[in-house]
Amino acid sequence: MKFFKALTAVCCVVVCAMALSSCGNEMYSTSYTLGVTQFSSSGSSDLIKIQEYLESKGCPAKGDSLTWSCVDISVDKCDQQAAAHFKELTKDLSYSEVEALVNADCKFVYTITRSLDPADPTSMIINFGKWEYPKPKKK
C-alpha cells in the first residue's frame, strides 16, 4: 500500500510540473501583410515599376509573398519582430533610384501591417513600419 501511495504522489508531482511548465510556454502565431498602399500616379506603369523595384531589393510587393508570419511568446514580441524585419527589408531602398523609375507625381507607401485582432482580419489595421515615397519633409 505504501508503494501505491508513493507512486501516486510521484505521478501527481509529475503531472502538476508538466501542467505548470506548459502555462508559461504558450506561443502566438501572428501574420503580417506587406505591400504598397496609398499609391497615386499619372503613369500607368508606375505601380508595376515600383513592385519590380521593391522585389529586386528583397521587399515582397506582389504575388503570394505578401504575408510574413511570426511565432513568439506574445503578440507584442511578434510586433517588435515585424518592425525589425521591415527595417531590415527596407534598408537598401533608395529614393533616388525610385525617382529615376517613376513619374514626378508618383506617391506611395510601402508598409507592414496586421489586423488589430489577429483572429479577425476585418478589424482595424495597425502599421508596424512604412517607407514613403517621396521622402517625407521634416517638420
Side-chain angles (χ1 to χ4, degrees):
M1 191 64 148
K2 286 183 182 180
F3 176 74
F4 181 71
K5 286 183 180 180
L7 182 60
T8 303
V10 169
C11 287
C12 286
V13 169
V14 169
V15 169
C16 287
M18 288 173 54
L20 290 174
S21 68
S22 68
C23 289
N25 293 334
E26 185 174 355
M27 300 298 275
Y28 294 86
S29 178
T30 309
S31 293
Y32 299 84
T33 302
L34 293 151
V36 175
T37 62
Q38 300 175 22
F39 172 79
S40 69
S41 177
S42 63
S44 61
S45 64
D46 280 354
L47 180 57
I48 293 168
K49 290 176 185 176
I50 290 164
Q51 289 173 325
E52 288 174 353
Y53 172 76
L54 291 168
E55 291 279 334
S56 76
K57 296 294 186 174
C59 298
K62 59 185 176 181
D64 296 335
S65 61
L66 296 176
T67 300
W68 182 80
S69 296
C70 172
V71 176
D72 209 321
I73 59 171
S74 71
V75 174
D76 288 338
K77 292 279 187 191
C78 285
D79 292 346
Q80 291 170 5
Q81 286 187 38
H85 176 68
F86 188 79
K87 187 174 182 179
E88 180 65 23
L89 280 177
T90 58
K91 71 179 180 358
D92 294 329
L93 298 183
S94 164
Y95 293 101
S96 60
E97 289 176 346
V98 173
E99 182 178 23
L101 295 173
V102 298
N103 287 326
D105 67 339
C106 183
K107 296 178 184 178
F108 71 93
V109 180
Y110 183 66
T111 63
I112 186 166
T113 61
R114 75 163 168 82
S115 297
L116 176 62
D117 178 359
D120 179 10
T122 63
S123 68
M124 188 173 89
I125 300 296
I126 303 172
N127 191 333
F128 293 96
K130 69 180 181 177
W131 191 87
E132 295 180 67
Y133 179 84
K135 188 174 187 175
K137 293 181 169 117
K138 294 182 181 180
K139 295 178 182 182

